Amino acid sequence: AQSVAQPEDQVNVAEGNPLTVKCTYSVSGNPYLFWYVQYPNRGLQFLLKYITGDNLVKGSYGFEAEFNKSQTSFHLKKPSALVSDSALYFCAVRANTGGFKTIFGAGTRLFVKA
Amino acid sequence: EAQVTQNPRYLITVTGKKLTVTCSQNMNHEYMSWYRQDPGLGLRQIYYSMNVEVTDKGDVPEGYKVSRKEKRNFPLILESPSPNQTSLYFCASSEDWGLNTEAFFGQGTRLTVV
């Protein structure tokens, strides 16, 4: 069965510092990985996705994610955090052995302090 | 403007009173799905549809029905709502059902069943 874990409920960083939001996954086939962001009272917005062969993926708003097959991780990163990055972040996975379902992690709330 | 539109945004209803939440997308997307978002659980997929007249269960389908009679519309039906269906609901669509295709989300429907 597919699963996604976001081990931190909340991440706190100071503005200007680098940020990392962690995600690990478990699938029995090839993983298709995504990051989405949710701002208050809004739906989720797509940030980036893993494309086979590119271990470092660049996405919207200066975010990037590092795919590590051996550690089954897909951590979201940004070199310099902004206060406006404060939001709820979700990792999601699909797999060719999981039908056409999408499995989301529980979400990580990011607080960026000025 | 490309968008996924859900209605209503907020709904309070009583146990057992049938309701429908509508979802419409104007992007000619093939794949549509419904999720519920609950604190600490992230998003869980209720149903999805790969195209007109093709629907399948997600991870939490009990108590819900869907239909896909037209490509743009994917209503969620609660025949006999119960308090445990109080949640935040999101509709999403994707260009196709390819595993590496990202989703576009509606703004959400907050449902309270009393």
Side-chain angles (χ1 to χ4, degrees):
Chain A
Q2 299 167 218
S3 65
V4 176
Q6 293 182 241
E8 302 154 316
D9 291 336
Q10 185 170 309
V11 170
N12 298 310
V13 298
E15 189 173 35
N17 283 1
L19 70 87
T20 299
V21 182
K22 296 179 180 177
C23 171
T24 59
Y25 65 91
S26 174
V27 300
S28 54
N30 294 322
Y32 296 81
L33 296 152
F34 303 81
W35 276 102
Y36 291 87
V37 60
Q38 184 180 29
Y39 298 102
N41 299 315
R42 302 290 298 276
L44 279 72
Q45 297 177 34
F46 169 72
L47 270 183
L48 51 80
K49 63 184 177 184
Y50 169 63
I51 300 172
T52 304
D54 295 332
N55 287 347
L56 186 62
V57 180
K58 294 191 182 297
S60 307
Y61 312 121
F63 283 93
E64 56 191 28
E66 187 173 8
F67 173 71
N68 188 315
K69 186 174 183 179
S70 63
Q71 296 185 3
T72 62
S73 65
F74 190 55
H75 300 332
L76 182 69
K77 299 174 184 282
K78 188 173 183 182
S80 179
L82 299 172
V83 172
S84 57
D85 292 330
S86 298
L88 187 56
Y89 291 81
F90 290 97
C91 182
V93 67
R94 304 178 80 187
N96 52 3
T97 54
F100 298 96
K101 297 180 185 178
T102 304
I103 304 297
F104 280 81
T108 298
R109 190 165 295 279
L110 174 66
F111 284 102
V112 182
K113 186 176 180 181
Chain B
E1 181 188 354
Q3 59 186 359
V4 178
T5 304
Q6 295 177 228
N7 281 296
R9 292 288 311 279
Y10 302 92
L11 179 60
I12 301 175
T13 190
V14 296
T15 299
K17 185 177 181 182
K18 180 179 178 180
L19 66 91
T20 299
V21 184
T22 64
C23 174
S24 180
Q25 50 93 3
N26 62 359
M27 297 169 279
N28 201 38
H29 284 175
E30 289 187 347
Y31 184 95
M32 298 185 73
S33 57
W34 276 103
Y35 297 87
R36 59 178 289 173
Q37 182 180 9
D38 301 291
L41 297 177
L43 275 77
R44 293 178 292 169
Q45 196 168 28
I46 302 170
Y47 269 96
Y48 61 90
S49 169
M50 293 168 61
N51 214 321
V52 175
E53 302 292 1
V54 181
T55 63
D56 206 351
K57 296 177 181 178
D59 286 322
V60 288
E62 294 78 18
Y64 304 95
K65 287 176 58 177
V66 294
S67 68
R68 188 95 181 272
K69 293 184 171 58
E70 305 166 283
K71 197 170 187 178
R72 63 184 294 129
N73 296 323
F74 191 46
L76 179 69
I77 303 158
L78 284 72
E79 295 269 3
S80 183
S82 62
N84 64 10
Q85 292 179 297
T86 292
S87 187
L88 179 58
Y89 291 87
F90 288 101
C91 179
S93 72
S94 304
E95 184 174 358
D96 54 52
W97 43 264
L99 292 171
N100 66 346
T101 306
E102 64 270 22
F104 293 79
F105 284 80
Q107 288 197 292
T109 296
R110 187 167 293 281
L111 172 65
T112 301
V113 184
V114 298

